[in-house]
Amino acid sequence: MNSLIFGLPDFFAPGVAAAFVLTALRVGGLLLVAPAWSAKSVPMRLRTALLVIFAVMLLPGALHSADRTQLAITPATFLTETAIGFALGFAAALVVAGAEFAGELATNTIGLSGVAIFDPINNTQSALLSSFMQLMMLTLLLMAGGHIIMLQAVARSFAVLPLGAPIAIDLGFMPLVKAGGTIFASGLQFASPVIAAVLLTNLALAILGRAAPQLQVMSLAFPLQIGVGLITFAGSLGLVVQALGDWQSSYSTTVESFVRAALLAPEPAGRR
């Protein structure tokens, strides 16, 4: 990262200690919800060590754009810096949540809602295909360097959202709330082939049952529904992976929307 070329600052200089704490809060907000970084399988001690290391690495860049004389640790700055990091991580979490929701829809549609497996990310029980989609999305994200991209987003955020600068967090989170709707939209889009295939299968079985009542249609319905659903799900994975491979553009769009809205904060009366 570009901030590393400046070297480590003097922590005893005026404003540096406050800048370090605020930088750590922004990084902590990211690690709170960002995919992979926020996994419960990551030990708390390791997460704390990463928080300190990343804060030290990003501190020179944060100081480069901040007004040291105005830096102070207050409830407002505490919440602001944490919210900025949270927004940067939440924008990436939306992509993973959309894939996970698609797996949940596919699981319920196929008829495997009663099958639960251990989720190594959240240390809980989750639906079969939901856990699969989550792990697949995390794999794609890590292969594309998503964990580094999110840290780079934090590093670049100091240039447009300096430490201690007044921003409109409430306005900034409005685009994130609207972007949350993409979880349901993308999930339904990814699961639509499975839903359509299972629906057509059930319709065909219903027509067959009415045309030939002597056939034991109900004994065939459940295994046929599972078979058709799993085959359709496997066949649509290529399209899902191709769509999820473009997650960086949606992530950038969400982050830019947050920054544009947050920068609409009016300046304090003393600075006008």
Side-chain angles (χ1 to χ4, degrees):
M1 298 180 185
N2 295 334
S3 60
L4 296 179
I5 65 177
F6 297 106
L8 294 178
D10 181 8
F11 284 89
F12 296 97
V16 176
F20 174 76
V21 173
L22 296 178
T23 303
L25 289 173
R26 187 174 297 195
V27 176
L30 174 75
L31 300 184
L32 188 64
V33 294
W37 295 119
S38 62
K40 293 184 179 180
S41 56
V42 179
M44 184 58 64
R45 293 183 179 179
L46 177 58
R47 202 179 305 179
T48 304
L50 290 174
L51 171 63
V52 175
I53 293 173
F54 294 153
V56 172
M57 293 171 59
L58 298 173
L59 181 58
L63 287 173
H64 185 69
S65 58
D67 184 1
R68 302 188 187 185
T69 61
Q70 301 294 330
L71 291 180
I73 304 175
T74 63
T77 56
F78 185 99
L79 294 176
T80 297
E81 297 304 325
T82 303
I84 293 174
F86 182 90
L88 298 178
F90 182 75
L94 288 175
V95 183
V96 179
E100 189 175 356
F101 182 66
E104 186 77 28
L105 283 177
T107 300
N108 295 331
T109 303
I110 292 173
L112 297 175
S113 57
V115 181
I117 61 174
F118 177 72
D119 182 0
I121 304 298
N122 299 315
N123 289 339
T124 58
Q125 297 289 328
S126 64
L128 178 64
L129 298 181
S130 176
S131 181
F132 172 80
M133 291 291 288
Q134 181 190 38
L135 292 175
M136 184 184 70
M137 185 57 210
L138 286 176
T139 302
L140 294 175
L141 187 143
L142 294 175
M143 289 177 59
H147 54 304
I148 304 299
I149 292 175
M150 287 182 282
L151 291 176
Q152 290 176 340
V154 176
R156 294 168 181 168
S157 68
F158 293 113
V160 291
L161 301 173
L163 292 177
I167 61 175
I169 291 297
D170 54 340
L171 297 178
F173 270 90
M174 286 303 298
L176 296 181
V177 174
K178 295 179 180 179
T182 60
I183 296 177
F184 305 98
S186 59
L188 183 60
Q189 180 181 2
F190 295 151
S192 57
V194 176
I195 296 175
V198 172
L199 177 61
L200 291 177
T201 301
N202 290 333
L203 287 176
L205 289 173
I207 295 174
L208 182 61
R210 295 288 294 181
Q214 67 275 14
L215 294 177
Q216 298 296 326
V217 176
M218 294 303 298
S219 62
L220 300 175
F222 190 64
L224 187 61
Q225 177 178 313
I226 294 178
V228 171
L230 290 178
I231 293 174
T232 306
F233 179 78
S236 62
L237 277 181
L239 298 176
V240 174
V241 171
Q242 183 178 2
L244 293 177
D246 194 32
W247 69 271
Q248 295 186 33
S249 60
S250 60
Y251 175 70
S252 301
T253 302
T254 305
V255 171
E256 290 174 0
S257 300
F258 166 77
V259 172
R260 285 196 300 267
L263 286 177
L264 294 178
E267 296 186 358
R271 295 188 179 182
R272 295 180 180 176

